[in-house]
Amino acid sequence: QGQQVGLMDIDLHGPSVPRMLRLEGSPLQSGFDGSIEPVPYTMNLRVMSIGFFLNSDHQAVIWRGPRKYSMIKQLLADVEWGDLDYLVVDAPPGTGDEPLAVLELLGDIDGAVIVTTPQQLAVIDVRKSVYFCRELGCRVLGLIENMSESVCPHCGGTLAFFSRGGGRALADEVGV
């Protein structure tokens, strides 16, 4: 729709956005002022991830809270996003340091979209994410149930590997 979008991957221990977008190994560019240029994906989508700073897929990020907070702050402050209509932040599951840092550093945000898989174990954790957002004053814009079924490429039939409906049940329960 012509909107300028930034996608920031803050899953510091498992940055998957570079791989999903086939941007692995993309070189980072620095601006004249020492800022970091996000990696362009399309004319309208720019991407930043700690994955661009790692030497390989095997390199582990072994950081505690203060270091994580500092990295997220750097990604927000030092990356030259330009004029964005939207900044989408991909956070790891749960209620840990990463989503807390984003909410503290960004302050006034439009809200969160929370993703779950349908099985009860995932729904239990995602329920905590909903209440985490509410407790911190972050509006939950929606809840997505991912991986509820797989379509067979041969017959077109569907298989529910992880069950179905857990996300819908949670959305109804919490009024999202």
Side-chain angles (χ1 to χ4, degrees), residues 97-161:
D97 290 324
E98 293 88 338
L100 182 58
V102 167
L103 289 175
E104 287 179 353
L105 290 166
L106 286 179
D108 185 29
I109 65 171
D110 293 328
V113 175
I114 300 174
V115 180
T116 188
T117 52
Q119 70 271 33
Q120 283 305 304
L121 193 56
V123 170
I124 288 168
D125 290 338
V126 169
R127 181 180 290 110
K128 292 174 186 170
S129 294
V130 171
Y131 287 98
F132 167 88
C133 286
R134 288 181 175 166
E135 192 167 322
L136 293 172
C138 175
R139 189 167 60 118
V140 178
L141 302 172
L143 199 141
I144 295 173
E145 180 177 287
N146 193 16
M147 299 171 63
S148 23
E149 58 186 36
S150 180
V151 177
C152 175
H154 304 291
C155 70
T158 59
L159 298 168
F161 292 115

Side-chain angles (χ1 to χ4, degrees), residues 6-11 15 17-18 21 23 27-29 36-40 46-53 71 74-76 78-81 87-88 90:
L7 174 58
M8 187 170 79
D9 178 6
I10 62 158
D11 190 342
V17 169
L21 297 179
L23 292 173
L28 289 176
Q29 304 293 319
I36 303 165
E37 298 290 327
V39 175
R46 291 169 286 209
V47 180
M48 183 50 60
S49 170
I50 191 170
F52 297 131
F53 295 89
M71 182 64 189
Q74 181 180 357
L75 290 177
L76 288 168
D78 293 349
V79 173
E80 185 52 54
W81 291 104
L87 176 62
V88 177
D90 179 24

